[in-house]
Each structure stands twice: as structure tokens, then as C-alpha cells.
Amino acid sequence: MNELLMIPGPVEFEPAVLQAMATKTSSHISPDFIEVFGHSLERLREVFLTEEGQPFVVAGSGTLAMEMAAANLIEPGDRVLLVDTGYFSHRFASICERYGAGVTQVGAILGDVPSLEEVERNLRGAKYKLLLATHVDTSTGVLVDVAPLGSLARRYGALSVVDSVCATGGEEFRQEEWGIDICLTASQKALGVPPGLAILMVSPRALDLFRERGTPVANYYADFANWLPIMEAYEARKASYFGTPPVNLIYALGESLEEILGQGMEARFRHHRVISEAFKAAMTALGLKQVPALEVAAHTMSAIYYPEGVGKELLGEIRERGVVVAGGLHPQIKERYFRVGHMGGVSGGHILATVGAIEGALQASGYRFELGAGLVAAQKVLKEL
Ligand code: PMP
């Protein structure tokens, strides 16, 4: 159990967050809990860099957050344009189809992002209600530059929705400045809270569109109409009930938000950039290739091809050296690569331990390289922390 958890979520959690999680469970209408929940909702706006956004925090995983966005905004027959960068984009397409949307996917070769021109050509060609993108697709490690998508969506009268499950709290994101209508995420990644919270930040435009619906939301639990009064009540420091909130997870969220905002969002973005560059430099120094094209590689995780002659037995070798990393997920290349998460409270020490374990595992697998080359490359970048 003392292994270092370096998968793309859940991640290593700060001791103070785990301690908050172990607080004696209080009533969900106790004054202490109301204060923590209300304050956490306020502080989430600072994480998403929006003043006008409406936060929703609901018990569930990231997939519920995707489902809430789709269930509340889509009516049967609506058209959705989806920027496809991998496995989680495909999941989003399936969810939207469940709610009756016609989904058009615009993709690129695996590991890359379709061009803005391509996205715009589609928006020009038909009337879309939503433009969806996966901020970081956890199957490919591809980062989408979502800033221009916000303005493109506005220009063509669509709403922009970003799945930031593997990004929020790590990747640069400025919801209001970039004009993103819904940013959704989950607790267990760069927000540094154990799994179990679905979180959304919704623009006034998106709430207006929700209020103008002609048909009822087809999912009772996901319906904004059920949750909006609850979120508003807690922010006004009043008790309210629709579904029992996950009290302990919200204590943990409150603690993690203090740590994140104590660091500051700009410092947080920079930290993730440097950590990611250090890890990627190490992999390059070891002669390993990455799944995403380097210009579109995420900073919260890395997706690395096994070298020639090495396969997924490497994961076991890495684990024997005390570090847990993840196997492949994208069906086209599943057996050919592995994934490493480096987000949340990740430190330079975690990166060095992970690179060291990978080097040891590669050596045990018979791969020939200069032992220590990865560690040297990482150390050079980590000086910038
Ligand atoms: N979207 C992305 C980008 C993800 O990485 C994940 C989880 N790996 C999800 C959605 C789904 O989240 P969950 O597993 O918490 O349901």
C-alpha cells in the first residue's frame, strides 16, 4: 500500500485532504457543513477563473458530470459538434446520442487535434447547439487548446462544453475570459480529492438555454432544476435537501481548495507545466516516444509508447519498484503504450521516483539505454520549479 500512485487519476492525495475526509460525519444540514459546502462553492469560481459561473457539486464520478451537461442542454433532435481526441470524446458522443442529439465528430490522426479551420468549417455548414471538446483526453494525453473554441462557438451561436476531468486544477483554464459555457470535472485528478464528486461550472448563457427547454430533462438525478436551488441555498449558508450530499468528500474538497488557492492558480498552472516538461524530457532522454504530438501534449499526464521489444510486462516491473502507472486505454494502440499521471500535489520528488522506477524496469526488460539519462534530463528541468 505504500506504492506511489502515478496513474491519471486517482492520484496521490495530500495528508491534510485525507484527514479532512476522515472528519466525523456531520448532518448535511449542520452549520459546520453548510459553511464548508457554501465556502467551497464560492472558491470553485476562483479555480475556474469565473465570477459569473454557477457551480454544481454532486455525488458521482466524472461521467455523471458529462451526463449532467448533456441531459440538461440537449433536447431530442439537437445537433452537437464534437472535437474528437480519443476515448473520452467517444464516451461524450455516446452520452449525447442517448439524449437524442445528432453528433458530428471532427477528428484528427491519433495523437493530434483537428485544426480550428476544420472545426469552423463544420460550424459554418450546419446549426449546432453545442460544441464539445475534451480538454485533456486521458487515453491519448492530447491537450485541446479550448480558448479559441469558446469564441468560435459564440460566433456561430453554439454553447461550448469542455470535459476537463483530466485538466481542472492543473491545465491553464480561464472560463470567463475564454467564454466557455460549461466546464465539467471530477474530484480525483488535479483537484486532489478522492473519487466521488462530479463538478460543473455553468455560464449564465447555458443556464438561460436550460431554462428555455421545451421538454423535461430525461434524467431525474441529473436535472439542474433539482440541484440549482440546493447550490444556491448552501451558498447563502442555508440548509437544503434534494439528495444527501457526500459530506466527507466535501470536507476533503474544502481542504484541497484551500491548498490549491493558497498556491494560486497561476503558480499551479506553471507547476504542472514544469513537472510535465521534466517527465517528458526524461522519457525522450531514454529514447521513448510519446502518443501525443509534442505541441499538443497535456501537462497533467503523459502517454508513452513502450520501446521496441518491450510490452505491458513493464508495468509490473515498474510496480515492483514502488510506483504504479497505468496501461493503455485507446483501443487502437492499447497494448503499445502506458500512461503516467502527474497532477494535483505532484512534486519533483514524485517525478524522480517515477523516472527511476521506469529506468530500473526498462533495464530489467532488456532495453538498452544509458542508465540515469532520464533522471539527469528530469533534474535539469526540475530546477525551474
Ligand atoms: N473524461 C475524462 C477526460 C476522463 O479522464 C475521465 C476519467 N478518466 C472521465 C471523463 C470519466 O470520469 P470518471 O471515471 O470519474 O467517471
Side-chain angles (χ1 to χ4, degrees), residues 8-10 60-66 87-89 91-92 95 133-139 163-167 184-189 195-198 301 329 339 343:
S61 77
T63 307
L64 174 71
M66 299 165 85
Y87 178 92
F88 287 101
S89 305
R91 175 173 296 190
F92 220 167
I95 294 172
T134 312
H135 200 170
V136 169
D137 193 291
T138 319
S139 71
D163 167 0
S164 288
V165 170
C166 195
L184 63 93
T185 191
S187 49
Q188 73 271 21
K189 303 204 188 207
L197 293 178
M301 62 167 292
L329 180 62
R339 298 173 301 143
M343 58 188 132

Side-chain angles (χ1 to χ4, degrees), residues 218-229:
N219 182 320
Y220 185 73
Y221 185 71
D223 193 339
F224 281 168
N226 288 326
W227 291 110
L228 186 57

Side-chain angles (χ1 to χ4, degrees), residues 152-182:
L152 257 190
R154 292 208 171 192
R155 196 171 320 142
Y156 290 92
L159 289 187
S160 51
V161 179
V162 177
D163 167 0
S164 288
V165 170
C166 195
T168 304
E171 294 290 352
E172 181 180 359
F173 182 71
R174 305 174 193 280
Q175 184 155 357
E176 205 156 312
E177 185 184 327
W178 295 353
I180 303 296
D181 290 298
I182 293 192

Side-chain angles (χ1 to χ4, degrees), residues 288 302-306 314-315 318 325-328 337-340 358:
L288 306 190
S302 298
I304 312 290
Y305 283 112
Y306 298 120
L314 191 74
L315 302 179
I318 297 172
V325 301
Y337 76 112
F338 66 103
R339 298 173 301 143
V340 175
I358 292 172

